């Protein structure tokens, strides 16, 4: 065969110096047997930009300017630079179709994981970012230093709207700021969305009046997009400051729609990440959770679940810290699997730590995150020997203990609810 059949290697250039306007992606990659590193890199850069499997009859010379370039690799990680003109401003689904699309199914790769992306300023400018930022939420909730706290009624689904709201009231009266719907609760025959909003509003107003504190909730609007808009509007009409979306199952297009729609309503967005573990759990294949957190901050969620490292769900301490940096920092210097990123006008977002937590694990979580987080303790308050309100109090006491430099055991001498929680769970790390 005289004529070249493939042109993948045209997408590899170790001497390429990325332009300031390039979007840079960091991948973990493993070539299949018999495929060289450059043949693998060429395929990743080609299939995620302008290429295909064979040389073509016609190739307009201007296409070269749109080609991605694999310009650096160290071991099994590689950086690929994408010209800005490849991407439509403000269109997150299109970005994913490019860098998180066909390349993951290529036979020439045994494994591929998208670890991080560094967005150029021109691309950042086309997204809103979070409505309030972490300081804006603290101001809104009048909570200055400690973590914001919340809980999901458990069992996670099955209560009537009134029962749900009554558990919410107990949660708020125990000192928590928020009551969260579970990820699989939308509008069921036994707990209609509209009924839940009305009962929750009634109990919120009562709890605010009795405590003098601001109380809010992450009420789940997840549904078809037009329905989500109607539900968000109802929340705003009833004085709520947040809505909750399951952002992975809803998709980036609908998260963008709701971010735009809730902007005028002033609503913050709590992003549950259910289904993320289908693509981020395998360290060698899929998308990283920090990449998901990054694009959700860019679109503009207020906060997103980031893991606990010590609770019932997977996520290492390093992963949790990298997600927290991605969400909270304004300027990131390349480290670990994080690329450089200057977030410019994009406000910060809270990491949410939840999943298998109870008062005995609060210090472990605060040792990792510090106080700049939303801490959700759900089974860990409703399972307290003296019930929900005592469980929330025990969790608040654990936060106070940690932030005043006492061990939980020392603090438990003078705080009964914490003592009772430690008697049941100690420092158990559930699986
Ligand atoms: C936690 C939770 C959350 C998980 C989600 C649940 O309840 O409500 O959905 O935290 O995981 O349904 O399991 P518990 P992640 O506190 O009772 O475990 O935060 O890792 O996305
Ligand atoms: Mg849940």
């Amino acid at each position: 065969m005289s004529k070249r059949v493939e042109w993948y290697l045209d997408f590899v250039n170790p001497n390429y110096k990325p332009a300031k306007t390039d979007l840079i992606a960091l991948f973990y990659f493993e070539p299949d047997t018999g495929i060289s590193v450059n043949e693998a890199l060429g395929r990743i850069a080609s299939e995620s930009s302008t290429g295909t499997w064979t040389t073509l009859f016609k190739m307009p010379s201007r296409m070269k300017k749109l080609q991605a370039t694999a310009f650096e690799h160290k071991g099994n990680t590689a950086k690929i630079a994408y010209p800005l003109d490849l991407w439509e401003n403000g269109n997150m689904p299109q970005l994913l179709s490019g860098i998180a699309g066909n390349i993951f199914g290529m036979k020439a790769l045994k494994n591929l994981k998208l670890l991080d992306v560094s967005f150029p300023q021109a691309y950042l400018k086309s997204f809103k970012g979070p409505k309030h930022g972490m300081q804006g939420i603290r101001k809104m909730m009048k909570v200055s230093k400690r973590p914001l706290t919340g809980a999901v009624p458990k069992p996670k689904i099955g209560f009537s709207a009134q029962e749900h709201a009554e558990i919410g009231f107990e949660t708020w009266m125990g000192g928590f700021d928020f009551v969260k719907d579970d990820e699989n609760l939308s509008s069921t025959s036994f707990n209609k969305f509209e009924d839940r909003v009305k009962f929750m509003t009634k109990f919120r107003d009562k709890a605010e009046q009795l405590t003098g504190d601001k109380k809010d909730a992450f009420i789940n609007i997840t549904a078809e997009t037009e329905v989500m808009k109607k539900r968000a509007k109802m929340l705003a009409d009833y004085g709520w400051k947040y809505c909750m979306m399951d952002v992975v199952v809803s998709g980036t297009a609908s998260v963008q729609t709701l971010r735009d729609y809730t902007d005028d309503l002033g609503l913050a967005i709590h992003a549950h990440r259910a289904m993320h573990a289908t693509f981020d759990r395998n360290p060698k294949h899929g998308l990283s959770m920090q990449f998901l957190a990054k694009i959700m901050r860019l679109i503009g969620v207020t906060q997103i679940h980031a893991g606990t490292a010590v609770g019932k769900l997977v996520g290492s301490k390093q992963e949790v810290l990298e997600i927290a940096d991605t969400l909270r920092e304004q300027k990131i210097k390349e480290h670990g699997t994080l690329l450089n990123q200057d977030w410019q006008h994009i406000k910060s977002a809270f990491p949410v730590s939840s999943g298998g937590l109870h008062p005995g694990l609060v210090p472990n979580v605060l040792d990792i995150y510090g106080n700049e987080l939303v801490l959700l303790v759900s089974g860990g308050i409703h399972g307290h020997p003296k019930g929900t309100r005592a469980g929330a109090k025990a969790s608040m006491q654990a936060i106070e203990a940690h932030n005043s430099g006492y061990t939980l055991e020392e603090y438990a001498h003078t705080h009964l609810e914490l003592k009772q929680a430690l008697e049941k769970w100690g420092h158990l790390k559930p699986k």
Side-chain angles (χ1 to χ4, degrees):
M1 249 183 310
S2 58
K3 214 148 157 28
R4 268 199 326 158
V5 172
E6 291 178 354
W7 54 309
Y8 287 124
L9 296 181
D10 292 8
F11 293 78
V12 182
N13 175 1
N15 304 315
Y16 177 74
K17 295 279 167 277
K20 270 173 75 66
T21 53
D22 281 353
L23 182 145
I24 312 281
L26 177 68
F27 289 95
Y28 170 90
F29 72 107
E30 282 181 17
D32 195 18
T33 323
I35 298 286
S36 74
V37 165
N38 280 347
E39 285 169 331
L41 293 179
R43 280 161 174 76
I44 301 169
S46 161
E47 276 295 341
S48 56
S49 63
T50 61
T52 189
W53 63 275
T54 178
T55 50
L56 301 167
F57 174 71
K58 250 177 47 176
M59 253 305 263
S61 58
R62 72 174 188 283
M63 291 298 185
K64 191 100 182 103
K65 288 207 226 62
L66 281 175
Q67 276 180 217
T69 307
F71 65 95
E72 183 182 307
H73 89 271
K74 283 184 196 125
N76 285 90
T77 59
K79 288 183 186 175
I80 295 181
Y82 294 86
L84 187 58
D85 283 350
L86 265 178
W87 311 114
E88 179 187 355
N89 275 341
N91 185 339
M92 188 53 70
Q94 185 243 1
L95 178 80
L96 295 179
S97 296
I99 62 174
N102 294 357
I103 49 178
F104 285 85
M106 296 196 84
K107 289 178 181 168
L109 297 167
K110 209 182 295 169
N111 281 301
L112 181 67
K113 185 152 190 176
L114 175 55
L115 300 174
D116 198 16
V117 172
S118 179
F119 294 113
Q121 191 190 355
Y123 190 73
L124 284 185
K125 278 201 306 210
S126 63
F127 290 89
K128 285 188 160 57
K131 174 80 184 169
H132 302 279
M134 295 192 294
Q135 288 320 311
I137 293 295
R138 284 191 173 282
K139 202 157 148 268
M140 180 172 90
M141 295 303 294
K142 298 188 175 34
V143 174
S144 54
K145 292 222 174 5
R146 64 167 172 76
L148 292 129
T149 51
V152 179
K154 298 283 178 179
K156 55 172 56 183
I157 190 165
F159 290 115
S160 70
Q162 177 158 358
E163 290 166 338
H164 181 104
E166 285 163 353
I167 294 167
F169 178 72
E170 287 303 303
T171 304
W172 281 319
M173 294 310 289
F176 275 18
D177 308 299
F178 299 112
V179 177
K180 173 183 170 290
D181 282 359
D182 233 323
E183 63 280 355
N184 55 341
L185 178 61
S186 54
S187 188
T188 54
S189 56
F190 48 82
N191 189 338
K192 289 218 170 314
F193 179 86
E194 294 72 13
D195 297 339
R196 189 157 75 250
V197 171
K198 290 173 189 160
F199 279 115
M200 285 288 282
T201 304
K202 186 180 126 200
F203 283 106
R204 175 201 67 200
D205 294 349
K206 191 174 162 197
E208 286 192 333
Q209 202 213 339
L210 291 170
T211 61
D213 297 332
K214 290 298 293 168
K215 301 294 181 185
D216 215 275
F218 312 142
I219 299 178
N220 195 358
I221 63 171
T222 302
E224 185 282 325
T225 307
E226 287 309 314
V227 171
M228 285 202 272
K229 286 162 71 173
K230 285 198 187 81
R231 291 180 178 173
K233 179 72 172 60
M234 183 178 181
L235 289 173
D237 290 346
Y238 278 76
W240 296 100
K241 300 283 183 259
Y242 270 86
C243 65
M244 165 180 163
M245 283 180 79
D246 297 342
V247 293
V248 177
V249 297
S250 300
T252 51
S254 74
V255 182
Q256 287 192 249
T257 301
L258 268 292
R259 173 66 186 88
D260 290 345
Y261 182 73
T262 56
D263 197 46
D264 294 343
L265 301 175
L267 283 182
I269 300 174
H270 175 93
H272 196 289
R273 60 176 179 169
M275 201 166 86
H276 72 96
T278 57
F279 54 75
D280 69 11
R281 182 170 187 173
N282 180 336
K284 294 190 167 186
H285 190 82
L287 310 177
S288 72
M289 177 58 216
Q290 98 206 13
F291 170 70
L292 176 68
K294 188 160 200 172
I295 60 172
M296 288 300 162
R297 174 181 176 182
L298 185 55
I299 292 173
V301 306
T302 300
Q303 55 208 47
I304 185 167
H305 289 240
T308 65
V310 292
K312 69 186 185 187
L313 299 151
V314 294
S316 67
K317 181 175 173 186
Q318 192 209 333
E319 183 194 38
V320 165
L321 285 170
E322 289 185 347
I323 299 167
D325 281 351
T326 298
L327 293 169
R328 300 188 299 205
E329 303 306 322
Q330 279 315 105
K331 277 194 172 38
I332 291 190
K333 277 263 152 291
E334 189 166 343
H335 67 282
T337 60
L338 292 184
L339 293 175
N340 287 323
Q341 184 64 61
D342 179 343
W343 280 96
Q344 306 284 338
H345 73 289
I346 301 287
K347 292 192 179 103
S348 58
F350 270 116
V352 176
S353 189
S354 169
L357 297 180
H358 55 82
L361 289 180
V362 165
N364 305 63
V365 175
L366 299 189
D367 281 342
I368 296 173
Y369 280 100
N371 279 288
E372 290 307 312
L373 84 155
V374 175
L375 181 68
L376 300 182
V377 183
S378 302
I381 67 166
H382 307 304
H384 187 282
K386 295 294 176 196
T388 298
R389 191 180 302 206
K393 278 186 182 165
S395 304
M396 297 306 283
Q397 290 162 3
I399 294 170
E400 289 155 18
H402 179 80
N403 286 344
S404 343
Y406 293 105
T407 67
L408 298 185
E409 284 68 19
E410 286 164 347
Y411 214 67
H413 290 319
T414 51
H415 294 82
L416 179 59
E417 294 82 1
L418 179 56
K419 180 169 176 290
Q420 293 162 336
L422 292 175
E423 282 162 358
K424 176 166 183 177
W425 294 302
H427 298 264
L428 166 77
K429 291 183 181 174
K431 255 200 158 173

